[in-house]
Every structure is written in C-alpha cells, then in structure tokens.
Amino acid sequence: MDDDLVGADAGFSALGLRPELLRALSDLGYEEPTPIQREAIPPLLSGGDLVGQAATGTGKTAAFALPLLHGLSSGTSNDPGALVLVPTRELAEQVSQAVHRYGRELNVRVLPVYGGQPIQRQLRVLERGVDVVVGTPGRVLDHIERGTLRLDTISTVVLDEADEMLDMGFAEDIEAILAETPKERQTVLFSATMPPRIDAIARRHLRDPMRIRMGRDTAAADRLPKVRQSAYLVPRGHRMAALARVLDVETPTAAIVFCRTREEVDSVTEGLNGRGYRAEALHGGLSQDQRDRVMGRLRGGNTELLVATDVAARGLDVDLLTHVINYNLPTAPEAYVHRIGRVGRAGREGAAITLVEPREQRLLQAVERLTGQKVKPEQLPTVTDLRARRMELLLETMREAVGAEGLDRFRSVLASLTDDLDLEQIALAGLKLLHENSGGDVDETEIPLVEAPRERHRESRDREHGRGPRNQTSRPGQGVARVFVGLGRRAGLRPQDLVGAIAGEAGLQGRDVGAIQITDRFSLVEVPESAADRVIKALQNTAIRGRRPTVRRERFQR
Ligand code: AMP
C-alpha cells in the first residue's frame, strides 16, 4: 500500500504523447513518468511557457524534450524548430543524445554545438538542415553572428540549467540569442535553484509561465525506518565496478539493487553474474508466480541479490533483506524513502547505500531535505580497504569457529601435524586456506578517485574549453582472463572436466583454453579475455562433476 506512489494508469500514454514517442520510451525501459515529467509534460504540450525547478537526475531532460519532439514537424524546413541552451559541452552532448533517443522513430535531426569542437563539421550539418539545436550560448551566438544559424523558425526555446549558465557568465549571450527568436515562441526554463536573477529572466522572457518544483511530500518521510544510510562518490563510467566494490566490503546476506530502467536492470544483473555474484532481475512485467519463484530462490540462498526498478519492487514481501543499494538515485526523493523502507523491518538492522556521481549531488541534497537526515558522500573503499575488510571478516569467522563445537574431532590431525611442525605455522596455513576458500584476493582493480563535488563549477568550465577531467587511467586488459571456479581436487575435478565444460558449453576450442591450476578447493583457468564473460556465464549454468560451483572472474595478477 505504501508502495502506491502513483495511480494505476499514470503511465506515459496518459500524458497524451504521440505513439512514436511512447514506443521509444518503452524500448528504453522507462516504466512510468517521473514527478517532474508528470507535471511538466501536459502544460508544455498545450503550448504554455514553464519555469521548472528541478535538478539533474529528476528526469527533467525528458520533461522538456518529449513535448518539444511531440510538436516538431520534422523535415519541413532546413532551419531548426527548437533550440536548447545548456551551460556545458558535456550537457550539450547528453541532451542531444537524449533528444536523439526519444525522437528515434521521428527521424529527428539533432545537432550539439559547443566550443572546442571543429566548427566546419557543425557548418556542414547545419547546411544539410537540422530540427533541434542543443548548444552552449557562446557557440550558438557565434553561429548566429556568422549567419550560419537562423532562428526565425524556432517555436520552442529551452534554457536548461539556467542557474549554471548565469554562474558561467552567459547572461548577455542568452539575452542576445533570445532576441533573435520569434516573439510568439514557447519558452521553457529549468533551473536547480531559483535565485532572483533567474526570476528576473523568467519575468522578462516568459509569458505567464506555469511554475513547478519537485514535490515536497513529507508524508513518506514520517515512515522513515531506522536504517544506516551512506553514499559513495563514483566517477563516471565506473558505476558497475563501484557496485562490486561496495558489495565486497558490505557482504550483504540479501540485498536489493535499485535501478532506473528495465534496460539498466538487465545490464546490472548481467554485470553482477559475470563477476560471480548471484543476482536476479525483477521486472515490472513478471507475473506474481514468477515473482514468488524469485523470492523463493532468495530465501533458499540461491540468490543473494535482487536487481529491480521501483515499479517492479512494489508489493514485494522482503523481510529478509539486509541492504538496499541505489545503483542510481531515484528520480524523485520520495521514491528513495520507499526504497529504503525495504530494509530495517521488524527492528532488524538494515543499510541503505547510494552510488552518486558528483553531478548528482543536488538530487542527494533533495533527499536529505525530505528525510531530514544528512548523508555525506564518501570516497569508495580502495583495494587496500577491501583487503583490510577481508582480513577482518577472516578474523570474525575464525573467532566464531574457535568458540563453536565440534573441534575435538580434529585433535588427532593436529597432533600428527605438531609432530614435526610449529603450531603457529599450522595456524597460519589454516588461515590462508580459509581466506582462499572464501574467494581470496579477487577483484583488485583500483577505481579512480572522484574530484570533490565543490569543484563542480570549475570542472564544467574546463569541459566547455575542451580540457578533460583529471582522472587516473585504469590498467589495460592483458588479453587473457583468469576464471575462478570454486571446485578443486577434493571434488575429484580434473583438467579435462574444465576443458570439456568450457568447450562444450561456451563453444571454445580446447586449444583456446590456457593454463589450468587446480588446488584442493578451487581452480583457476585462463581463457581469452574476449571470451571470458561468455565462459563465465556458460559455466555458471553448467553442472561440473554434479555440482554448481561459484564461477567468477579472477583479477588478482600474480
Ligand atoms: P535527467 O534528470 O534528465 O538528467 O535524467 C536522469 C536520468 O533518468 C537519465 O539517465 C534518464 O535516462 C533517466 N530517466 C528519465 N526519465 C525516466 C523515467 N521516466 N523512467 C526511468 N528513467 C528515467
């Protein structure tokens, strides 16, 4: 019941968008509009001006892009029908990719224009004709002055991240650009904050705009459970590695990983299984029967991770979960509260962990405002932290074992070992074996550190001028991957069993399989890096000597 964020027919089709757009959204795995989309799309479709207060991550891009595409008559003119102004080159690319994705079935021609990109290419594309221009004010003005961009056919202008544009000194450029567009245009302004200067622009250039801001529903916050909340900063492009790192450090018994789209659910599930975790995707399209089966596997310990969208996780009976992990922050802060309400039930301990990119900080702040609780993003655990954590776990496991019953039956083994060996050495060897048996030092790639979020403005400006963000580069692949298989001599495993399984199930030739190392409890097999994921997936679904061992990538280089 408390999961009932929206009514049953609150999908995109209820907003009145044309079928081409609805199909594109469905292909992208968007299950329902975000709050800002639900509020902004209908008034924009009827042609009104709008001021929206919304941060990155709320779904604001689709909120203005969908109505803009809906009204576009593509191909009727070579001059653009819509202009989107954005503060940075990075955003210009992102927004233009989004417009392209949503408008795929409409064959919309989109052009990003920003400084630092060769102008010749932009000129050629402009000459051929475009429908939507997404650009930084400086470069757009440049084109207007050269006479290479004409704005008299523009029917919609969007000012995206208006506060950022003003911070970057684009106020005059924006004024000059707006003066070139027709008076009867539709004007849309989105801004994360609403300082008086933004209000002044809205008053001067927008006609009787509708004003919307992110919902401030505090009812959900009242039901906030007692959960340890934390957040980790992740660099762009390293989210999957960050998720794996967090899982390794947290070692949840059973966790749910929340994603924004079905597509993301699939790729995260695949990524996790490829790394040796046992993850199951929960889709909005699953029947109750299928959901029950997934839950059964979670209870039986055959699954440790559920990967789901907010919609798919509604109404789940999930008392046994220890962790909620936000692979992405939800597009609405209220959904965060619903998500973390999945753990910490019935007085149990629970943890909610969020992965956040520096540019998504504002969304996290919106969550903080709603919950009244601070969640300070920390740097991800490093490889050293991870190793220390593994040693800690080893310690705990050993202490527990020492206190447990059933040790006496090993006395005779110990007695014969102590005939010629030192007690300390025996204990050390025992610890080493235990460590190796629980996975050892796998997954040891360092994830680059992220710049402090306070430097966000400077970073954006650097991008506009073509300087990339400072980043360490990660190690390149070696061409050969080592695969860990949790089965060894004890189970009677022979090299030919592994070669047979790999050749039979993953379609590789025997000679493609490299060195094989079989220890008592586990084995390591070298395979071509290009086939590694396929081999891991195939072996995970194959019984080897009657068992289904853990199969995952081994990253530790000797
Ligand atoms: P934005 O706030 O526009 O930067 O969007 C943030 C992210 O949310 C983007 O990755 C979008 O692809 C995604 N997104 C936008 N709308 C939806 C939706 N209705 N359902 C799921 N994901 C969405």
Side-chain angles (χ1 to χ4, degrees):
M1 285 153 294
D2 59 336
D3 305 306
D4 209 8
L5 266 181
V6 290
D9 63 347
F12 279 103
S13 50
L15 299 180
L17 291 165
R18 54 203 272 191
E20 295 94 330
L21 295 173
L22 294 178
R23 281 198 295 272
L25 292 171
S26 160
D27 287 349
L28 286 170
Y30 289 12
E31 293 181 325
E32 60 179 7
T34 69
I36 199 89
Q37 290 161 4
R38 202 171 304 123
E39 285 190 53
I41 292 174
L44 287 178
L45 286 179
S46 43
D49 284 3
L50 183 126
V51 175
Q53 184 168 358
T56 297
T58 52
K60 68 179 163 69
T61 313
F64 66 73
L66 292 169
L68 179 155
L69 288 163
H70 181 95
L72 217 61
S73 36
S74 164
T76 48
S77 158
N78 266 354
D79 292 328
L83 171 69
V84 183
L85 293 177
V86 295
T88 64
R89 114 196 218 165
E90 185 198 26
L91 203 59
E93 296 223 313
Q94 267 172 33
V95 170
S96 96
Q97 278 161 17
V99 171
H100 183 76
R101 278 203 307 270
Y102 302 142
R104 215 186 37 209
E105 291 209 17
L106 298 169
N107 297 321
V108 168
R109 301 163 299 174
V110 196
L111 177 67
V113 277
Y114 46 79
Q117 191 194 35
I119 201 153
Q120 290 307 327
R121 202 183 79 80
Q122 294 173 5
L123 290 178
R124 274 199 306 277
V125 181
L126 281 170
E127 234 164 67
R128 263 184 271 138
V130 294
D131 302 302
V132 183
V133 170
V134 183
T136 51
R139 185 50 78 92
V140 167
L141 198 58
D142 218 18
H143 276 291
I144 295 174
E145 283 163 1
R146 283 164 180 257
T148 46
L149 175 61
R150 300 218 336 232
L151 300 182
D152 14 304
T153 49
I154 293 285
S155 52
T156 305
V157 174
V158 180
L159 307 175
D160 189 19
E161 305 211 349
D163 49 356
E164 285 271 318
M165 289 200 280
L166 294 195
D167 281 353
M168 295 179 65
F170 283 135
E172 281 177 24
D173 291 358
I174 293 173
E175 297 281 338
I177 293 166
L178 287 177
E180 295 293 320
T181 59
K183 281 245 165 324
E184 60 283 5
R185 61 164 197 265
Q186 177 183 43
T187 314
V188 185
L189 182 153
F190 273 101
S191 191
T193 58
M194 283 293 160
R197 285 201 304 159
I198 296 286
D199 225 35
I201 290 196
R203 269 201 308 276
R204 216 166 29 251
H205 296 288
L206 275 67
R207 271 176 310 182
D208 192 20
M210 159 143 188
R211 289 176 185 266
I212 55 175
R213 59 182 306 177
M214 298 256 313
R216 314 183 117 220
D217 166 21
T218 47
D222 295 341
R223 296 191 293 268
L224 208 62
K226 302 253 170 304
V227 173
R228 167 170 65 90
Q229 297 179 63
S230 47
Y232 289 110
L233 277 174
V234 299
R236 287 191 66 156
H238 292 268
R239 224 181 256 275
M240 189 64 219
L243 174 63
R245 175 66 47 83
V246 166
L247 290 172
D248 286 345
V249 171
E250 290 280 338
T251 55
T253 314
I256 187 161
V257 179
F258 277 104
C259 299
R260 279 186 182 154
T261 63
R262 284 198 305 270
E263 239 185 5
E264 203 169 74
V265 166
D266 282 338
S267 75
V268 168
T269 310
E270 215 167 274
L272 285 172
N273 285 319
R275 286 165 189 253
Y277 305 91
R278 288 166 305 164
E280 292 243 17
L282 261 189
H283 273 319
L286 293 190
S287 68
Q288 191 53 46
D289 229 32
Q290 290 168 312
R291 288 157 72 104
D292 290 347
R293 243 173 286 152
V294 171
M295 295 315 293
R297 283 196 286 274
L298 189 72
R299 280 198 192 88
N302 294 316
T303 298
E304 50 196 358
L305 299 163
L306 294 183
V307 187
T309 55
D310 292 291
V311 174
R314 272 182 208 161
L316 267 190
D317 161 28
V318 279
D319 267 2
L320 68 167
L321 290 177
T322 54
H323 288 66
V324 161
I325 298 174
N326 295 306
Y327 186 71
N328 263 313
L329 269 171
T331 46
E334 292 75 19
Y336 176 91
V337 176
H338 285 268
R339 286 180 179 185
I340 72 171
R342 303 270 167 215
V343 288
R345 289 193 172 182
R348 260 181 267 254
E349 254 188 71
I353 298 165
T354 301
L355 304 181
V356 60
E357 282 183 18
R359 67 193 187 97
E360 294 164 339
Q361 291 277 305
R362 279 183 201 275
L363 205 57
L364 191 62
Q365 285 159 9
V367 166
E368 288 179 341
R369 275 198 299 279
L370 180 67
T371 60
Q373 297 178 5
K374 273 252 167 277
V375 186
K376 190 174 170 297
E378 303 159 36
Q379 293 290 354
L380 273 171
T382 61
V383 170
T384 314
D385 295 336
L386 177 59
R387 289 194 179 154
R389 172 72 180 138
R390 284 188 178 137
M391 287 301 145
E392 220 176 87
L393 285 173
L394 191 64
L395 205 102
E396 277 170 31
T397 314
M398 206 56 180
R399 276 186 194 286
E400 234 171 75
V402 167
E405 289 178 7
L407 295 180
D408 281 341
R409 54 188 283 244
F410 298 99
R411 270 190 203 286
S412 59
V413 183
L414 185 64
S416 44
L417 285 170
T418 45
D419 278 349
D420 53 337
L421 294 172
D422 181 37
L423 205 53
E424 187 179 82
Q425 263 186 317
I426 299 170
L428 287 173
L431 286 171
K432 179 168 176 266
L433 283 177
L434 183 60
H435 176 62
E436 282 170 359
N437 203 28
S438 46
D441 290 316
V442 289
D443 194 18
E444 305 278 342
T445 314
E446 201 65 91
I447 302 170
L449 290 179
V450 193
E451 276 187 47
R454 255 168 266 104
E455 293 187 37
R456 180 167 161 251
H457 284 218
R458 170 125 44 86
E459 189 187 329
S460 312
R461 223 165 286 154
D462 285 353
R463 294 230 175 93
E464 165 78 350
H465 294 121
R467 291 194 290 272
R470 277 170 275 145
N471 251 353
Q472 286 166 247
T473 42
S474 40
R475 251 176 282 153
Q478 310 275 306
V480 172
R482 296 211 301 164
V483 176
F484 170 96
V485 180
L487 211 61
R489 261 194 299 276
R490 290 272 164 90
L493 187 80
R494 300 154 308 164
Q496 56 266 42
D497 296 325
L498 288 172
V499 176
I502 293 172
E505 301 300 325
L508 254 66
Q509 301 284 323
R511 63 173 185 277
D512 291 333
V513 180
I516 295 180
Q517 185 191 346
I518 298 185
T519 75
D520 273 354
R521 291 185 176 77
F522 66 92
S523 316
L524 295 166
V525 194
E526 290 186 348
V527 296
E529 170 58 49
S530 55
D533 289 344
R534 187 155 40 100
V535 168
I536 289 167
K537 209 168 180 182
L539 289 185
Q540 279 171 343
N541 292 316
T542 311
I544 307 176
R545 295 203 70 86
R547 309 237 207 130
R548 281 183 184 263
T550 302
V551 180
R552 66 178 167 219
R553 196 180 269 273
E554 225 272 12
R555 283 267 181 69
F556 185 55
Q557 305 289 328
R558 278 174 303 175

